[in-house]
Amino acid sequence: MKKIGSIITLPKHFDPRGNLTVAEEQTNIPFDLSRAYWVYDVPGGESRGGHAHKECVEFIVAVSGAFHVTLDDGHERQTYLLNHPWEGLLVPTGIWRTLDDFSSGAVCLVLASLPYDEADYIYEYDDFRRYVKADD
């Protein structure tokens, strides 16, 4: 089975006053950063995502708490547990993503390669399968 996404471990700087992790574009994040957003206060049983991007690459981090990210390339699905603020999931273009099972207090940070553009999103799963030419 091929890997759809990849976990990247970010540098963790230990300090008795509190640890520090850094994400730098083109150093440990393999793209230029154009946008950052975060999702929080997700009610129990709810999910986020449910879309794919045509051009935007994203890096997803659980900066607090935990949640699952399921990636789907139209042929295979893989689910990742994100629960360490020094690790993130690199999501390439053309991959459907769904985030669910958020723990209480979870905060999901997303670093994106492009500014928001509604035309870059694929919101319907059937449209996504046509876009990636997935066979039934």
Side-chain angles (χ1 to χ4, degrees):
M1 174 182 355
K2 72 175 185 171
K3 291 187 69 154
I4 298 173
S6 57
I7 295 289
I8 296 175
T9 301
L10 300 169
K12 184 176 180 183
H13 303 281
F14 296 95
D15 188 302
R17 301 168 297 161
N19 298 327
L20 174 84
T21 293
V22 177
E24 294 179 307
E25 63 185 2
Q26 298 301 342
T27 300
N28 45 36
I29 305 299
F31 54 81
D32 292 333
L33 302 178
S34 289
R35 178 171 53 126
Y37 63 93
W38 44 100
V39 178
Y40 54 94
D41 293 342
V42 177
E46 291 296 324
S47 66
R48 298 293 309 220
H51 64 269
H53 289 282
K54 299 173 189 172
E55 300 292 330
C56 187
V57 177
E58 292 186 332
F59 185 69
I60 303 172
V61 180
V63 293
S64 181
F67 51 89
H68 287 98
V69 181
T70 300
L71 301 183
D72 179 339
D73 67 0
H75 304 281
E76 297 181 36
R77 288 187 180 152
Q78 293 176 346
T79 299
Y80 298 85
L81 171 63
L82 297 183
N83 61 351
H84 300 296
W86 63 86
E87 287 183 338
L89 178 61
L90 181 65
V91 183
T93 60
I95 300 294
W96 188 267
R97 83 283 323 274
T98 305
L99 292 72
D100 56 17
D101 298 326
F102 285 81
S103 67
S104 178
V107 178
C108 169
L109 170 68
V110 180
L111 305 177
S113 67
L114 296 173
Y116 175 78
D117 178 3
E118 186 175 352
D120 183 53
Y121 284 73
I122 304 170
Y123 287 113
E124 297 297 328
Y125 189 73
D126 288 340
D127 294 340
F128 164 72
R129 289 191 41 90
R130 280 190 291 278
Y131 180 79
V132 297
K133 297 176 178 60
D135 298 325
D136 289 326

